[in-house]
Amino acid sequence: MPLATLRAALQPFRPRALTALKGLSREQLVADFGAGLTVGIVALPLAMAFAIASGVKPEAGLFTAIIAGFLISALGGSNVQIGGPAGAFIVIVYGIVDRYGLANLLIATSLAGVLLFAMGLFKLGALVRFIPVSIVIGFTNGIAVLIGLSQFKDALGLPIAKMPGDFFAQLRTLAEHAGQINPWALALTGGCLALVVVWPKSYTMPVGVRLGWHHRLRRVAAHLPGTVVALAGATLLTRGLHLPVETIGSRFGGIPQGLPGFELPALSWDSAKQLFIPTVTIALLGSIESLLCARVADNAADIPRHDPNQELMAQGVANFVSPFFGGIPATGTIARTVTNVRAGGRTPLAGIVHAATLLLIVLVAAPLAAGIPLAAMAGILLFVAWNMGEWREFARLRQFRWPYRLLLVGTFVLTVVFDLTVAVEVGLVSACAFFIVRMGSLFQVRPSTPAQAPAGVQVMELYGALFFGAVDKLEDLPARLPEGTQRVVLDLHRLVAMDTSGLEALHQLQQALQRRGITMDLARAAEAPLSLLERSGFADELGPLHLWPTLEAALAPAGR
């Protein structure tokens, strides 16, 4: 392959930060710093909660948010996307840790990083957009259900050493321990969940009204993340009242005050083969989540549109590097990205400051996290799970045709009962099958009766795309012809596309007509079908007296 062709086929590595930070005004610099600080505080409890729910230590989530969050912002293709551990990965990571172990999770994450980088390098970012929305909604709602179910253990304070990964096994385990509910844990979970739900997310000051103390209080509260307030309140209550609930310190021994050292996981070819499915799953989900998040960010702010291929390459670098420091899979996070946009962030600087804020918190205040009750984390994750799901789509199913309903509900059920990989694979195969059937049903062969058609000549118009899913509609054409037909003219001006199966069907139709003593002509072929006819040699086989540029020429006396 020539070097110029290879360069054109590959995506150049051009982080958005190189252009977005040029000529940055002082006002935007201050706004980005403020947004980064806000997002860093918001990310603190979420990063720990996602890690704990994934079956790893809380510091793994913090290290991922710091290292991967920095790399995604510094190298990505979006101005405002915030990267880090995401709720969508909880079920996937928990299943991999449960089946393969933590060490293999780190290897699979690094291998997924390589795959993500290759996807971006070869400009495959746009392909992610071709996944049907019904499949995305189905597996997103399924993941939300699994996240919520996984939090019942800590929310109820049940003495379960380790929750199984299977959906039905989780239900059975919870049912077996239903009589061991810790009321203090349940109260903390309910209080934190209620606080996060009712806490003001934003506040618009009324115009022309004298501000009272309640207006000022709501304005201040709107600038404080409800999750942080809930965690702080639950921690103070637990310590002050010596509540008998499990905390980060009692389960994990606290959080180290600093970043871990660089450590290479033991990688072998046998491990790589064993981890093929987990690697593909992490890469697939990471690419979908990050590009969906980037599209949401584009619509939420007046910024240049993201570069999907550069974003995938940045996600690849982040997921390749962070496991060397104990990190877990990372992707774009919608909640933190939207928070960044609302706080005024408009350049990658905000994401970089968010990572630096988390690093500072770990270096200064890590010991304080030991007293955080896990029931409070469960309350926050129940809120995250509810917000993640698009539950209204179930109520809207009756507005759509049955293939959409089947894809959405089927993907949802398969995600909950089996896993995401099976759900997406079956969903994509089903979507392709439905598309083929639908496109095949749109192809039609209709008789036409132009005034200039002489006796014994039958004109048939072909509509749509003649491909492997529609060739059966040509097979019965000879039997449908009127008695005394001597010549058939196929009018192709509304045939928009044709594949090799369609070409073979035309060839077989010609042979079937010849056996009946009927000749076949083609007229008004569009550019794409005509190109295939010429490249295959079928046009030469027909000859110029059977391939006409216009219908009038085909029906003229000279064309007979």
Side-chain angles (χ1 to χ4, degrees):
M1 179 183 292
L3 184 59
T5 304
L6 179 62
R7 287 178 178 175
L10 300 180
Q11 169 76 12
F13 192 81
R14 294 174 184 169
R16 182 61 59 86
L18 296 178
T19 56
L21 297 180
K22 286 183 179 179
L24 191 63
S25 66
R26 180 179 179 182
E27 292 77 9
Q28 189 56 58
L29 181 67
V30 172
D32 285 334
F33 262 95
L37 290 171
T38 301
V39 178
I41 295 173
V42 170
L44 174 67
L46 294 178
M48 292 190 293
F50 291 155
I52 293 172
S54 301
V56 298
K57 293 184 177 181
E59 58 264 30
L62 291 174
F63 299 156
T64 304
I66 294 170
I67 298 170
F70 169 79
L71 292 173
I72 289 172
S73 293
L75 305 178
S78 170
N79 278 39
V80 296
Q81 176 145 266
I82 303 296
F89 273 123
I90 289 176
V91 179
I92 304 301
V93 173
Y94 190 92
I96 295 174
V97 172
D98 183 60
R99 184 176 303 178
Y100 301 99
L102 178 59
N104 283 326
L105 167 68
L106 302 181
I107 295 173
T109 303
S110 287
L111 293 176
V114 175
L115 184 56
L116 282 166
F117 188 89
M119 290 171 63
L121 182 64
F122 289 97
K123 300 182 179 180
L124 300 180
L127 295 181
V128 177
R129 300 180 181 180
F130 296 154
I131 298 178
V133 66
S134 55
I135 295 178
V136 175
I137 294 173
F139 78 67
T140 301
N141 287 5
I143 290 174
V145 168
L146 293 174
I147 292 174
L149 181 64
S150 69
Q151 297 311 299
F152 275 58
K153 167 185 174 291
D154 291 330
L156 302 176
L158 301 178
I160 302 173
K162 183 176 177 59
M163 286 288 288
D166 180 69
F167 172 71
F168 294 109
Q170 288 183 0
L171 291 178
R172 184 171 59 252
T173 303
L174 291 173
E176 291 172 352
H177 293 80
Q180 300 173 286
I181 295 176
N182 183 337
W184 296 107
L186 180 58
L188 283 176
T189 299
C192 289
L193 178 59
L195 181 61
V196 174
V197 170
V198 303
W199 194 263
K201 310 300 184 294
S202 61
Y203 182 64
T204 304
M205 301 299 294
V207 179
V209 177
R210 185 176 180 180
L211 300 182
W213 64 270
H214 59 286
H215 288 295
R216 296 189 179 92
L217 184 61
R218 290 189 64 185
R219 180 172 61 179
V220 173
H223 287 83
L224 293 175
T227 53
V228 174
V229 175
L231 281 189
T235 304
L236 291 175
L237 281 175
T238 301
R239 286 186 173 181
L241 301 178
H242 303 285
L243 300 180
V245 295
E246 200 171 13
T247 64
I248 288 180
S250 64
R251 180 182 293 184
F252 302 105
I255 294 177
Q257 198 168 3
L259 290 177
F262 181 88
E263 184 176 351
L264 285 173
L267 178 62
S268 66
W269 176 242
D270 290 336
S271 297
K273 291 189 294 184
Q274 181 186 22
L275 297 173
F276 175 76
I277 295 299
T279 297
V280 173
T281 302
I282 293 173
L284 177 64
L285 182 57
S287 61
I288 294 172
E289 286 290 315
S290 64
L291 297 184
L292 285 177
C293 177
R295 291 178 66 182
V296 170
D298 290 344
N299 296 328
D302 185 18
I303 55 174
R305 297 192 65 82
H306 73 281
D307 181 344
N309 298 309
Q310 180 62 40
E311 190 61 34
L312 286 184
M313 287 195 288
Q315 301 282 339
V317 173
N319 281 282
F320 178 76
V321 172
S322 66
F324 299 146
F325 298 90
I328 57 178
T331 186
T333 57
I334 294 179
R336 277 160 274 175
T337 299
V338 172
T339 301
N340 180 35
V341 172
R342 289 176 178 173
R346 292 297 181 272
T347 73
L349 178 62
I352 296 173
V353 172
H354 133 269
T357 301
L358 286 171
L359 175 60
L360 182 63
I361 293 173
V362 169
L363 295 177
V364 175
L368 299 177
I372 297 176
L374 297 181
M377 291 285 196
I380 292 173
L381 283 177
L382 287 173
F383 177 75
V384 170
W386 176 257
N387 277 347
M388 179 186 295
E390 298 186 45
W391 313 112
R392 294 180 180 177
E393 292 300 318
F394 287 126
R396 297 178 61 233
L397 284 177
R398 60 179 179 273
Q399 302 176 13
F400 300 97
R401 298 175 65 249
W402 68 267
Y404 179 90
R405 303 177 193 174
L406 185 60
L407 280 177
L408 195 155
V409 176
T411 305
F412 170 76
V413 172
L414 288 173
T415 301
V416 172
V417 176
F418 294 99
D419 60 47
L420 174 68
T421 306
V422 173
V424 173
E425 288 174 351
V426 174
L428 286 176
V429 171
S430 301
C432 291
F434 290 145
F435 178 78
I436 291 171
V437 172
R438 177 60 176 165
M439 291 301 296
S441 67
L442 294 177
F443 176 76
Q444 297 181 18
V445 181
R446 298 178 182 174
S448 177
T449 55
Q452 67 271 35
V457 176
Q458 178 65 47
V459 179
M460 306 295 291
E461 287 188 297
L462 274 59
Y463 294 79
L466 180 57
F467 69 115
F468 63 90
V471 294
D472 60 311
K473 295 188 177 181
L474 283 182
E475 295 175 354
D476 63 344
L477 179 58
R480 293 164 48 194
L481 295 174
E483 194 71 29
T485 300
Q486 301 174 359
R487 182 165 167 256
V488 173
V489 178
L490 299 183
D491 188 356
L492 308 183
H493 79 288
R494 293 185 179 177
L495 185 68
V496 296
M498 181 172 63
D499 67 356
T500 53
S501 296
L503 179 69
E504 179 62 23
L506 284 180
H507 191 267
Q508 292 179 0
L509 175 63
Q510 181 200 31
Q511 293 177 341
L513 292 174
Q514 282 180 345
R515 288 192 293 269
R516 293 172 176 246
I518 303 173
T519 59
M520 185 183 80
D521 290 4
L522 305 180
R524 294 202 290 181
E527 181 178 354
L530 180 60
S531 174
L532 180 59
L533 290 170
E534 293 173 343
R535 286 183 285 109
S536 66
F538 189 49
D540 294 334
E541 183 180 337
L542 287 173
L545 295 181
H546 298 285
L547 183 62
W548 306 94
T550 66
L551 183 60
E552 291 75 13
L555 298 178
R560 285 181 244 166

